[in-house]
Amino acid sequence: MHPDVHLQLHSIRAAELQREAAEVALRPRRAPIRTQLGLVLVELGLWLMKPPARRQARIA
């Protein structure tokens, strides 16, 4: 392959990769699924540990 053609192809590919990297950088990051699941389990555990709400006794 001619060196000029090789450099041109390399430049095109480098520009594509830079555009892809810029798009990925703009996306909001999400926590890994393991972290999300752990937080949900903690919330569930805290909810289960709450004492039941006190109710007023009914007088018949």
Side-chain angles (χ1 to χ4, degrees):
M1 185 182 302
H2 197 275
D4 292 335
V5 173
H6 178 74
L7 289 175
Q8 185 65 27
L9 290 173
H10 176 72
S11 298
I12 292 169
R13 181 66 181 145
E16 288 175 358
L17 290 174
Q18 287 175 347
R19 272 194 303 272
E20 287 179 24
E23 289 174 7
V24 169
L26 293 177
R27 289 186 208 151
R29 294 184 183 210
R30 291 184 56 189
I33 190 73
R34 185 175 178 176
T35 303
Q36 290 177 347
L37 178 60
L39 291 174
V40 168
L41 290 174
V42 167
E43 285 182 34
L44 178 63
L46 292 174
W47 180 78
L48 290 173
M49 289 180 57
K50 276 195 302 189
R54 292 191 151 189
R55 294 184 181 168
Q56 300 239 344
R58 292 186 186 182
I59 300 175

